[in-house]
Amino acid sequence: VQLQASGGGSVQPGGSLRLSCVASGFTLGDYAVAWFRQAPGKEREAVSCIDTSDETPYYYYTESVKGRFTLSRDNAKNSVYLQMNNLKPEDTAVYYCIQDLDCNRLATLVPFGQGTQVTVSS
């Protein structure tokens, strides 16, 4: 059972990246998936969450990324994606993904693994 985040990199302000969260050993489509980020010297922050277990999908975005970040999922590829547009220097962080039953416990989830580094600078 493994969840791997990838797709990070270094971009200039205004650039874009697409992060991938790929699961192995279990069906990611059965779960909600949340993205967190942590920058040096800052607290871990819940960035977004997707829950498609109900007829109406639920999406959560923290205020600072609304209109810039978009979640999607491809159950055939056992993956969830975070499209990040118009990136800003304050988006610089290590990004992690984690699965849970729903998006109601973002305050208590603790992502683990290596994460993927996103660096936005000119």
Side-chain angles (χ1 to χ4, degrees):
V1 175
Q2 187 176 6
L3 201 61
Q4 180 66 51
S6 64
S10 295
V11 297
Q12 293 184 342
S16 297
L17 287 171
R18 189 178 81 153
L19 304 185
S20 298
C21 179
V22 181
S24 57
F26 68 101
T27 303
L28 192 58
D30 291 341
Y31 296 88
V33 176
W35 285 94
F36 287 78
R37 66 185 179 187
Q38 186 156 24
K42 295 186 178 180
E43 291 187 357
R44 184 177 60 247
E45 177 186 25
V47 176
S48 62
C49 188
I50 179 172
D51 184 354
T52 54
S53 60
D54 292 335
E55 289 187 3
T56 303
Y58 171 79
Y59 300 90
Y60 165 80
Y61 299 97
T62 193
E63 191 64 33
S64 62
V65 308
K66 285 181 180 178
R68 301 189 297 121
F69 290 13
T70 304
L71 282 164
S72 63
R73 70 190 315 162
D74 185 339
N75 289 337
K77 295 183 178 180
N78 220 20
S79 299
V80 167
Y81 306 101
L82 183 65
Q83 177 67 43
M84 306 187 299
N85 297 329
N86 190 22
L87 282 162
K88 303 177 180 181
E90 51 264 42
D91 296 318
T92 295
V94 178
Y95 285 70
Y96 303 86
C97 60
I98 185 171
Q99 82 282 5
D100 201 14
L101 295 178
D102 52 42
C103 295
N104 295 328
R105 300 189 297 177
L106 296 180
T108 58
L109 287 178
V110 180
F112 55 91
Q114 290 186 335
T116 186
Q117 175 71 48
V118 172
T119 303
V120 186
S121 71
S122 54

